[in-house]
């Protein structure tokens, strides 16, 4: 996520004495040449200011996650399903014996391995897809740059 946003509100948290920055996302694809202020604005959300920028309300900022975190997420989304498929392949005899019986495993060991490997790949990919499309955010975005 690397998007532009407008700083909507800056508050001081009374408990932690830290600044809390709330921004409104800008949809810049539709507003490249728009100067009339007709932005489609969403719901304000909190971002971090780890780099210590001197922010003021109304400023346009670039928000997102650090590159290293994005690289880790990409690697995880690539290697996660592959690791699940390998685990399905390795543990296929035990899984098929437990769910389908030992006789099935001995007769159709290759079919069981292929099926369980494919199922592990598909299920892990579906889980990653659902998590990526949900509102679960493991890390709060931060201000990367003042525009």
């Amino acid at each position: 996520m690397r998007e532009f946003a407008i700083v909507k509100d800056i508050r001081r948290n009374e408990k932690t004495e830290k600044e809390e920055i709330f921004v409104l996302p800008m949809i810049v694809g539709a507003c490249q040449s728009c100067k009339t202020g007709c932005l489609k604005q969403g719901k304000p959300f909190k971002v971090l200011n780890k780099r210590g920028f001197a922010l003021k309300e109304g400023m346009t900022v670039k928000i997102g996650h650090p590159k290293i975190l994005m690289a880790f997420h990409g690697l995880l989304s690539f290697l996660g399903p592959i690791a699940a498929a390998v685990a399905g392949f390795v543990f296929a005899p035990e899984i098929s014996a437990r769910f389908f019986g030992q006789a099935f495993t001995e007769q159709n060991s290759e079919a069981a391995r292929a099926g369980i490997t494919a199922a592990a790949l598909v299920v892990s990919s579906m889980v990653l897809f659902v998590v990526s499309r949900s509102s679960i955010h493991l890390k709060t975005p931060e201000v990367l740059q003042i525009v």
Side-chain angles (χ1 to χ4, degrees), residues 93-107:
E94 292 84 6
I95 294 170
S96 63
R98 174 171 277 180
F99 290 107
F100 304 114
Q102 190 64 33
F104 175 81
T105 304
E106 291 172 0
Q107 292 174 353

Side-chain angles (χ1 to χ4, degrees), residues 26-134:
M26 292 174 52
I27 302 171
V28 296
C31 302
Q32 290 290 338
S33 61
C34 183
K35 305 280 187 222
T36 61
C38 60
L39 294 174
K40 293 181 180 181
Q41 296 180 346
K43 181 180 173 185
F45 60 93
K46 185 177 170 181
V47 295
L48 301 175
N49 186 13
K50 288 185 174 181
R51 299 178 186 193
F53 292 117
L55 300 174
K56 296 178 184 168
E57 289 182 19
M59 285 182 137
T60 303
V61 294
K62 189 174 187 178
I63 58 172
H65 298 291
K67 289 180 183 179
I68 188 76
L69 182 65
M70 297 301 286
F72 177 72
H73 283 194
L75 194 62
L76 182 64
S77 66
F78 179 70
L79 294 179
I82 291 173
V86 169
F89 181 80
V90 170
F91 296 111
E94 292 84 6
I95 294 170
S96 63
R98 174 171 277 180
F99 290 107
F100 304 114
Q102 190 64 33
F104 175 81
T105 304
E106 291 172 0
Q107 292 174 353
N108 301 311
S109 64
E110 290 302 314
R113 273 193 197 268
I116 291 172
T117 300
L121 181 65
V122 169
V123 168
S124 64
S125 297
M126 287 174 35
V127 166
L128 279 172
F129 179 78
V130 168
V131 168
S132 72
R133 298 296 184 255
S134 71

